[in-house]
Amino acid sequence: MIEIKNLVVEIEGNRILNGLDLTVADGEVAAIMGPNGSGKSTLSYVIAGKEDYEVLDGEILLDGENLLELEAYERASKGVFLAFQYPLEIPGVATMSFLKAILNAQRKAREEEELTTPDFLRLVRGAAEKLEINQEMLKRALNVGFSGGEKKRMEILQMALLQPKFCILDETDSGLDIDALRIVSEGVNALRDEKRAFLVITHYQRLLNHIVPDTVHVMSKGRIVRSGGKELALELEASGYAEYSTEAA
Amino acid sequence: MPAVQETIERVRTLDVDQYKYGFETELEVDKAPKGLNEDIVRLISAKKGEPEWMTEWRLDAYRRWVTLREPTWARVNYPPIDYQDLHYYAAPKKNAAPKSLDEVDPEILRTYEKLGIPLREQEILAGVEPSRRVAVDAVFDSVSVVTTFKEELRRAGVIFCPISEAIREYPELVKKYLGTVVPVSDNYFATLNSAVFTDGSFVYVPEGVRCPMELSTYFRINERNTGQFERTLIIADKGSYVSYLEGCTAPARDENQLHAAVVELIALDDAEIKYSTVQNWYPGDIEGKGGVYNFVTKRGDCRGRNSKISWTQVETGSAITWKYPSCILRGDNSQGEFYSIAISNGYQQVDSGTKMIHLGRNTTSRIISKGIAAGRSENTYRGLVSAHRRASGTRNFTNCDSLLIGDRCGAHTVPYIESKNASAIFEHEATTSKISDDQMFYCLQRGLDEEEAIALIVNGFVKDVLQQLPMEFAVEAQKLISISLEGSVG
Amino acid sequence: MTTNPATESAERPAAQNFPADTRLAQHFDDFRSRLPDGDGSVVRRLEAMEDIQRVGVPNRRVEEWKYTDLRAFLHEAAAPASRPDAATVDAARKSAHVLADVPAARIDFVNGYLADAATLPEGVSVVPLSKALAEAHPALASLDQVEVANGNALIDLNTAFVDDGIIVQVAAGHEIGEVLHLRFINHGNTPFATATRVLVLVEKDAALTIAETHEGHVAAQPNSLVAFVLGDSARVEHVRVNAEGAGAIALSTLTALLGGEADFRSFNLVAGSAVSRHQLFIACQGENARVTIGGVTMIRGEDHADTTLVLDHAVPGGESRELFKTIVDGDATGVFQGKIIVRQDAQKTDGRMMSAALLVSPGATMYNKPELEIWADDVQCAHGATCGELDEDLLFYLSARGLPPAEAEALLLQAFIGEAIELVEHESMREALNALAVKRLENRS
């Protein structure tokens, strides 16, 4: 379970999150929607532990443990996974070597045995197939020269391999065509179970047709201003964010 | 590509001197005798009615100059200059301190008219776009003949006048800033200039003032065997803004004319100076005979926090260009920019570029240089980007592209990139290429003739820089580019 | 930019009173007295020394030495080494470890003197330099044909002091499968200078893979020169490792003269020495030659490493690719100077040069000077240079995937230099270079 309490965050003196409260229970898929600039991406970065953000107040608890005291890589090993809106390209690092490095780093942090090469290969191949990622892509440098859809699928592949407790999908639908959206969503849905929690950040309702949320939260001016069930997303699709933007302004 | 080849052939045979500003103006002049010595320096100072401190400043510069050697590191070749065979002062006789335009020699007015430089305020006011007014300081050989819109500028608190007048009228400002960006002994030509400069412009924009119009100086070398040594000093006080334009031409002459200017810019906290140049001195003829030797030291000092200095230059003239408009990014968060188009044709030699010296934190700079070499010319970009130890968080982006038209010319790139700070991020890229056959064919297929096509492609090549020029200058510059490549461009 | 290049310093009166000048002059006099009577090389030696003395050992005011003050670095120029005894040779060869796992035919130099040569593969012949000098071997003149190398101070010093070396010749049409590994091993406790010269002639249609490694434990001051001559359609892959001792001043020059359709590849790893300057002068004399040059420099502490490259395209159709990666740690200084020259006749030249540097410590300094000098219009030439620190966004991405900072940094640094090491085609050498680089990175802190 992830609990965010009264989170106040600034960047270079500008307040982005302003007393945000949010709880996502085990097995729950929560969607956060909101107008541009409402602080959605900041929230995902702060949970994942990006520097440059000043947390002035509040806490983020994962199963009762305060994440704010941990470095980004430590949070990752505790089971926090952020699927980036813009996954980074790393020239010179083959995708396979990268996957192996991150899997083993997390296993090491959890004092688990490192995977043997055959086990690792089996694991990757199985997961890659489901996401329609071919072997050729795995041989190339990570995300270098990948299309938008390929990059997003690569994020989901990492999510599938790492088996995190809490997954944040930051605008994962941006830049995806309908086929890629389907593949990505199926990948995410396959990972849903009673233990794993998801936070799906999106501007549009479209993604939520594929990844059906349990709860929907509307974010504006750095806090949650409304919460409801999946029908709230449809309502927003019809009415737009205008009311929240003006209310906030 | 036969079409390109044909064009190239034509450039070889055509007179590159399509120089339309090559006429001469007949005037009675007051000239100093040839040669340079302490007496000449005193004479110049006396002609300008300068105070004692200024005379001493000049003499000090002269004494240093005689100990210096002419620099040889640039990629330019020219026969030794006989500095004793030049006049260091020449002034139109009838110009003894005109009170208004009516007192200016009509010949001079006609000259500027022919050059397309508006000197009559009422004419400008009657123009189509009265909002885009430009104040002009017209410098003819060694003296400023007229400065327009002075009164209106004065009401806004902006001082815009010949530097000789500033030395008399605003000695405190001049003393405070002159020589603080380009020290007297900075280099051979700057030191020479410090000793013998005759005129140029002075601008002071007071705190918080946005200068109400573009300021411009128009330089014209007319007299034979006369060096032109102008000096420009622009100070933008805290939070002010000024855009300044500089243009230059000279008559076509067989012998070489010497031009050694110094420009100093100072931007205090939050101030911005935009300095644009269209340099079109006489480039010499097809044989490489004649033309202006242009040895110029231009430097801006971003002295204050958040200040910005932007240089834009279109260099098409001169037989030799030796010029590196630079920025010292002293204030934290200050910004420097250098946008340059350098076109060389005939036997022209260009060695030009910039220096971006990052001293303050979070300073940024951007260099966009476009060099086009045609005929038998040499075109060199030479630039320095440096980050000092405390200049954390600095950024530079440099892009230098060169285009060669014909195989008798040379295009060279000599960048120096020096970083002493790990957090400084510098990116430099440079390319050299020719106009692609595919581009040419595409244009021809669409109905352009080869010269139009080259003009179109070259203008596209330099577009990033042209966009930096004030509107009316950009149009002028575009025409100039076509003229400079005449024969190859049309 | 305000410093004056060679042209101006040449006009100055000779500057011979600096310690570097006086020491070198003294060492040269001593060295000369060691030469046998009637040595045929003495005239050239004297000429070279005169060239040095006329203008003095170059300092920062000489453009090519703007960032590497040779005069200062040779402040304590050591005396030439003497020929090592059998015990030294034995100890030195036992200690050698660089590229030791690569199967190769090895030729060893200890303290600058030829010590031992393996059985050579068929098609390869080796002549000791002493013999070649005595016989005025025609190959000796090839160096002069590399015009852009003329007048270079390091080459002059090498000419003046050279005391051993070999000429390697690969006969036309022979493709040598086995790696030829030249090992330069320095052994001893006190500083000494060495000057070696190797000429590698690869005849028409022949192919050679050659490794050149420099290692040792002392503050050696080697000046090595390796000159390649490639006949038409000849192919060479050259891998060089500078793993000199931490106090060494390693000066080296590579020249290459390329025939038509020749393919020359050279890679240099700097993972040793306090001061190094590696110069490459490459002249494409035959049409359609291909050149691939890679380099990785990993420096730290107070190290200073300079790579200077001049690539001269004189004829049409040449293609060159240069990729240099530098990691500057501690208070070290990295220098890259690279110049591509395309002469008037060299139409259709395609040249690309990139130098990228990462500064991983606050005291690090990098100087980049990539130049283009173009005289032909129908060419595609480009250069790029970057310097900066590791990308924070990349570090965060890796961190968000669970990699601790040190591992994330190491991964990115390996990837950074890996791009250049990838240029090495010979697989076991590429792996050995990667291993060397990784080891060097592990010892970073």
Side-chain angles (χ1 to χ4, degrees), chain B residues 8 69 72-73 75 324 354-355 378 382-384 389 404 406-434, chain C residues 1-5 7-8 11 63 66-67 344 347 359 361-389:
Chain B
I8 290 163
R69 298 162 60 115
T72 55
W73 45 260
R75 193 184 266 279
Y324 316 91
T354 184
K355 291 192 257 188
E378 295 263 0
R382 188 183 301 275
L384 167 72
R389 200 59 86 199
L404 290 117
D407 62 359
R408 303 285 187 91
C409 48
H412 318 300
T413 315
V414 191
Y416 299 77
I417 306 150
E418 308 180 352
S419 175
K420 289 182 195 286
N421 188 299
S423 67
I425 295 184
F426 289 172
E427 283 179 77
H428 168 99
E429 55 186 45
T431 64
T432 302
S433 54
K434 67 161 191 168
Chain C
M1 217 157 25
T2 44
T3 47
N4 309 291
T7 42
E8 195 163 344
E11 296 161 16
E63 183 69 14
K66 187 178 169 64
Y67 298 119
Q344 197 180 338
Q347 296 291 359
L359 277 57
S361 122
T365 298
M366 182 71 202
Y367 299 113
N368 256 318
K369 188 184 168 204
E371 284 184 73
L372 294 173
E373 189 176 317
I374 315 286
W375 306 89
D377 60 339
D378 191 4
V379 298
Q380 292 290 335
C381 286
H383 69 222
T386 62
C387 62
E389 56 190 349

Side-chain angles (χ1 to χ4, degrees), chain B residues 157-196:
Chain B
V158 176
I159 303 169
F160 178 43
C161 66
I163 195 152
S164 48
E165 187 181 321
I167 290 165
R168 294 189 303 266
E169 307 288 326
Y170 311 100
E172 292 316 309
L173 277 175
V174 175
K175 264 193 214 171
K176 187 170 173 189
Y177 292 107
L178 188 72
T180 63
V181 187
V182 180
V184 165
S185 55
D186 187 79
N187 68 69
Y188 186 81
F189 299 113
T191 308
L192 174 63
N193 174 287
S194 300
V196 303

Side-chain angles (χ1 to χ4, degrees), chain A residues 9-249:
Chain A
V9 172
E10 281 187 0
I11 183 162
E12 287 173 2
N14 298 316
R15 187 155 298 194
I16 312 290
L17 299 183
N18 201 0
L20 182 132
D21 293 298
L22 179 70
T23 300
V24 187
D26 288 352
E28 178 181 337
V29 174
I32 288 198
M33 303 184 71
N36 290 329
S38 56
K40 301 192 299 288
S41 282
T42 297
L43 176 62
S44 66
Y45 282 142
V46 171
I47 298 172
K50 195 174 203 290
E51 288 170 19
D52 322 330
Y53 293 94
E54 205 179 339
V55 178
L56 299 179
D57 202 1
E59 51 188 6
I60 303 175
L61 306 174
L62 179 68
D63 296 336
E65 187 175 4
N66 192 356
L67 292 180
L68 291 174
E69 286 159 12
L70 303 176
E71 299 287 324
Y73 68 96
E74 294 167 324
R75 299 182 199 194
S77 300
K78 298 281 179 192
V80 175
F81 183 91
L82 168 62
F84 282 60
Q85 182 177 2
Y86 303 107
L88 283 97
E89 301 183 0
I90 312 187
V93 176
T95 302
M96 275 304 226
S97 328
F98 171 77
L99 294 177
K100 197 169 179 190
I102 62 173
L103 259 173
N104 281 332
Q106 294 205 12
R107 293 179 76 91
K108 205 165 126 194
R110 292 194 290 261
E111 294 178 0
E112 294 165 10
E113 286 283 303
E114 290 197 2
L115 283 173
T116 64
T117 303
D119 284 348
F120 166 73
L121 289 175
R122 213 168 299 131
L123 197 64
V124 173
R125 285 205 187 112
E129 233 163 72
K130 286 183 196 143
L131 288 160
E132 299 180 24
I133 291 171
N134 62 32
Q135 293 300 307
E136 194 46 44
M137 254 174 86
L138 294 172
K139 283 185 197 151
R140 281 150 60 188
L142 184 70
N143 290 329
V144 177
F146 288 19
S147 71
E150 286 173 331
K151 284 181 183 172
K152 294 295 168 73
R153 273 188 275 158
M154 192 55 72
E155 291 293 284
I156 305 305
L157 174 67
Q158 292 173 41
M159 189 194 281
L161 292 172
L162 294 169
Q163 297 280 322
K165 279 186 197 163
F166 179 56
C167 309
I168 309 162
L169 293 119
D170 187 6
E171 307 264 0
T172 293
D173 51 334
S174 68
L176 290 192
D177 63 30
I178 193 73
D179 287 332
L181 186 63
R182 178 185 52 79
I183 297 167
V184 165
S185 306
E186 281 170 7
V188 172
N189 287 331
L191 289 170
R192 289 176 75 158
D193 63 25
E194 69 277 9
K195 291 295 290 174
R196 189 167 288 128
F198 286 86
L199 187 62
V200 180
I201 294 174
T202 184
H203 189 74
Y204 302 104
Q205 194 263 340
R206 184 176 76 147
L207 179 67
L208 304 180
N209 289 335
H210 295 83
I211 304 172
V212 181
D214 300 306
T215 50
V216 173
H217 305 274
V218 182
M219 194 165 166
S220 174
K221 279 284 182 178
R223 60 172 77 178
I224 303 296
V225 292
R226 204 177 151 195
S227 301
K230 61 186 175 202
E231 63 289 343
L232 180 54
L234 293 167
E235 188 187 310
L236 281 170
E237 180 79 353
S239 63
Y241 292 114
E243 108 181 63
Y244 302 103
S245 307
T246 47
E247 177 193 289

Side-chain angles (χ1 to χ4, degrees), chain B residues 256-490:
Chain B
N256 299 101
Q257 289 160 290
L258 178 65
H259 174 249
V262 172
V263 175
E264 295 178 280
L265 311 183
I266 295 134
L268 302 182
D269 289 358
D270 305 299
E272 179 177 348
I273 302 174
K274 188 173 165 60
Y275 193 106
S276 313
T277 305
V278 173
Q279 185 267 107
N280 187 25
W281 297 117
Y282 178 56
D285 70 5
I286 180 78
E287 302 293 329
K289 205 169 173 195
V292 171
Y293 290 169
N294 193 31
F295 301 107
V296 174
T297 305
K298 289 184 169 180
R299 198 173 301 154
D301 188 351
C302 284
R303 209 165 277 184
R305 293 175 56 88
N306 308 316
S307 55
K308 179 175 176 183
I309 289 178
S310 179
W311 297 100
T312 304
Q313 61 173 24
V314 178
E315 300 282 315
T316 61
S318 298
I320 290 175
T321 301
W322 181 100
K323 179 182 174 190
Y324 316 91
S326 303
C327 295
I328 300 167
L329 301 163
R330 203 184 299 277
D332 289 350
N333 310 319
S334 59
Q335 292 178 54
E337 291 177 338
F338 175 74
Y339 296 96
S340 171
I341 299 170
I343 298 182
S344 55
N345 200 350
Y347 281 83
Q348 281 177 275
Q349 302 174 59
V350 180
D351 195 304
S352 183
T354 184
K355 291 192 257 188
M356 292 291 173
I357 298 167
H358 294 260
L359 302 176
R361 292 173 214 277
N362 300 318
T363 48
T364 55
S365 61
R366 186 178 170 84
I367 299 170
I368 306 289
S369 166
K370 305 282 178 183
I372 297 145
R376 290 170 177 270
S377 67
E378 295 263 0
N379 203 321
T380 301
Y381 166 83
R382 188 183 301 275
L384 167 72
V385 177
S386 73
H388 286 242
R389 200 59 86 199
R390 70 170 285 274
S392 298
T394 62
R395 296 282 180 276
N396 166 268
F397 175 76
T398 300
N399 174 291
C400 330
D401 293 328
S402 305
L403 197 65
L404 290 117
I405 300 177
D407 62 359
R408 303 285 187 91
C409 48
H412 318 300
T413 315
V414 191
Y416 299 77
I417 306 150
E418 308 180 352
S419 175
K420 289 182 195 286
N421 188 299
S423 67
I425 295 184
F426 289 172
E427 283 179 77
H428 168 99
E429 55 186 45
T431 64
T432 302
S433 54
K434 67 161 191 168
I435 294 173
S436 92
D437 292 351
D438 292 343
Q439 279 177 335
M440 266 312 274
F441 175 70
Y442 186 82
C443 295
L444 297 179
Q445 204 285 322
R446 291 290 177 274
L448 297 177
D449 71 28
E450 62 266 37
E451 297 200 345
E452 289 168 336
I454 292 181
L456 184 86
I457 292 165
V458 168
N459 269 303
F461 178 72
V462 301
K463 189 168 140 251
D464 293 351
V465 177
L466 278 182
Q467 281 171 344
Q468 299 299 324
L469 286 170
M471 180 82 83
E472 50 280 84
F473 244 39
V475 176
E476 198 57 37
Q478 206 164 345
K479 278 189 226 152
L480 190 57
I481 289 164
S482 299
I483 294 166
S484 306
L485 287 166
E486 202 127 283
S488 76
V489 175

